[in-house]
Amino acid sequence: MAGEFEIAETNYCANLNYEDCSDRFKKWIRFLTQQSLVSTALTADVPIQVQPLFDFYSNAVNSTTLENYKLIGDLPNGRRIVITVDDVNRILGFPRNNFQVEPTSAELTQFFQDIHYQGQIFLPRMSKSKLKAEWDVFFDTLAKVFAPTTRQNFHNISSMLQIFGFSVAYNRRINFGKILLKEIIRKMGSVSQRSIHDNDKVECHFPRFLMLFLSDKMNDADRAMYVDSAVVPILRTCTKIQSRLANQKKHENVPLVVTPYMLEQFNVPLQPVQVPQPLQQQQYQPELQDNQPQEQSPPHNFQPLQLLQDYQSSSQSS
């Protein structure tokens, strides 16, 4: 008997209007959704069509030769879809060239010390519950969008979330797409693990990202095949966690600090939000040659970890 194909409750869309947030969290949500290196990945909206996801997810294979990560799958009409690291960076709005090095374990440890992590810092096992409410919301948003898990484990700050969080906070241009595509491939597993003929249930993780990739790659004939496909509701972040954390008064006596880059963005006056059009109607155009990825270029020099500034005192003096 054939198993079930399910869309996992993960990979949320974080297009939360910061004007709906309490004053305490407004600039944090605006920073993530409008001013950071991952803003497009957090907020890109697309209808999640079940049939094209099933067709691609069921037969896609990966290539990891020399860490040149790719996903390769065929549609029923014979069309081959190839998703590369540069595709991921392009479609999700990540940097595509001039990549900087990923933060080291020492830098990550120092980062959590500086933002006053309330517990033993053991990178393989970190929890956002040990953070002040603002940083909890910061990592909660990243977890709901990027974590390869469901809500039961959104409290964990995985290695990928640590790297993404640090790089977002410091505006470090790492190769987000390479890290993310590697994680997508790992979570997908083998083709046999994704066969509904061999398994009672097959869960499709990262459905929004995969749908964005497919929407970019499919042509008009491909889309015509799926005009009657069922569409599942997209999961979205909301202000509920903000209210809960505020009521809990979690770590109220812990100093609130942010990076110099975040402080710079926080000090930009708040403006009315303009809601973008859904991405499914947009066709991505290749950029000029000068903007193509430079994977083989040496890593750029970067400044050592800077001391964090006290957001509360700095914002009061500004």
Side-chain angles (χ1 to χ4, degrees):
M1 178 182 294
E4 295 181 353
F5 180 75
E6 295 185 359
I7 305 299
E9 294 185 353
T10 186
N11 197 196
Y12 286 45
C13 182
N15 58 352
L16 179 63
N17 186 339
Y18 70 78
E19 292 177 336
D20 295 332
C21 303
S22 64
D23 290 343
R24 180 176 183 178
F25 298 103
K26 270 186 170 69
K27 292 187 176 182
W28 288 77
I29 296 302
R30 182 189 64 167
F31 170 72
L32 285 170
T33 60
Q34 295 186 20
Q35 299 170 313
S36 74
L37 291 171
V38 298
S39 292
T40 299
L42 294 181
T43 61
D45 206 340
V46 64
I48 298 181
Q49 296 178 285
V50 176
Q51 194 60 49
L53 274 180
F54 171 77
D55 290 340
F56 181 79
Y57 200 81
S58 298
N59 72 80
V61 296
N62 66 73
S63 171
T64 56
T65 305
L66 298 177
E67 293 198 340
N68 183 25
Y69 299 106
K70 293 180 183 178
L71 272 178
I72 306 166
D74 295 328
L75 300 181
N77 61 0
R79 271 255 298 150
R80 174 152 292 185
I81 301 291
V82 179
I83 300 167
T84 66
V85 167
D86 188 55
D87 288 328
V88 175
N89 284 327
R90 172 176 60 84
I91 296 168
L92 297 184
F94 297 140
R96 296 180 65 189
N97 52 29
N98 299 331
F99 299 123
Q100 295 173 286
V101 296
E102 297 172 19
T104 64
S105 296
E107 287 180 305
L108 293 173
T109 298
Q110 185 65 52
F111 172 64
F112 283 104
Q113 289 176 350
D114 289 339
I115 64 174
H116 302 294
Y117 185 84
Q118 298 297 292
Q120 180 183 4
I121 297 177
F122 179 56
L123 294 182
R125 188 176 299 170
M126 301 289 285
S127 171
K128 67 185 185 66
S129 66
K130 304 292 186 181
L131 292 170
K132 195 170 178 69
E134 288 82 352
W135 282 106
D136 188 321
V137 168
F138 177 92
F139 278 103
D140 180 79
T141 302
L142 295 183
K144 286 175 177 172
V145 173
F146 295 110
T149 184
T150 51
R151 66 184 66 189
Q152 296 95 323
N153 293 305
F154 283 158
H155 63 279
N156 292 326
I157 309 176
S158 67
S159 175
M160 182 174 73
L161 295 181
Q162 293 170 30
I163 292 170
F164 277 24
F166 176 101
S167 301
V168 167
Y170 278 98
N171 201 41
R172 184 177 290 189
R173 294 171 55 91
I174 64 170
N175 193 340
F176 289 93
K178 182 178 180 180
I179 299 171
L180 180 59
L181 187 55
K182 179 181 179 181
E183 187 64 20
I184 291 174
I185 290 172
R186 184 196 69 80
K187 190 64 179 180
M188 288 177 70
S190 65
V191 173
S192 63
Q193 292 174 306
R194 289 178 269 123
S195 169
I196 61 171
H197 301 292
D198 300 330
N199 301 275
D200 293 333
K201 182 175 72 172
V202 174
E203 278 193 307
C204 175
H205 286 262
F206 298 104
R208 181 170 62 91
F209 288 159
L210 290 173
M211 195 69 234
L212 285 166
F213 303 156
L214 290 175
S215 295
D216 176 83
K217 292 287 185 174
M218 290 191 298
N219 58 29
D220 290 342
D222 301 331
R223 295 186 185 93
M225 285 194 306
Y226 299 120
V227 67
D228 295 323
S229 171
V231 176
V232 297
I234 196 167
L235 295 171
R236 302 180 187 278
T237 56
C238 65
T239 60
K240 188 180 298 184
I241 185 176
Q242 299 173 22
S243 301
R244 177 171 57 80
L245 291 172
N247 291 334
Q248 288 177 348
K249 302 186 182 300
K250 187 168 78 104
H251 307 312
E252 285 290 298
N253 296 324
V254 174
L256 177 60
V257 294
V258 296
T259 64
Y261 176 72
M262 292 175 69
L263 182 62
E264 177 185 331
Q265 301 304 313
F266 282 9
N267 285 334
V268 175
L270 293 171
Q271 300 291 338
V273 172
Q274 295 183 354
V275 179
Q277 294 297 315
L279 288 187
Q280 71 270 19
Q281 298 300 326
Q282 300 178 9
Q283 293 297 313
Y284 293 91
Q285 299 296 327
E287 299 185 8
L288 297 177
Q289 186 64 34
D290 290 344
N291 289 329
Q292 293 302 304
Q294 301 173 3
E295 290 281 0
Q296 301 304 318
S297 60
H300 284 211
N301 293 327
F302 61 94
Q303 297 298 316
L305 193 69
Q306 302 177 41
L307 291 176
L308 293 171
Q309 301 182 22
D310 188 302
Y311 167 59
Q312 290 174 317
S313 62
S314 298
S315 60
Q316 290 168 359
S317 62
S318 61

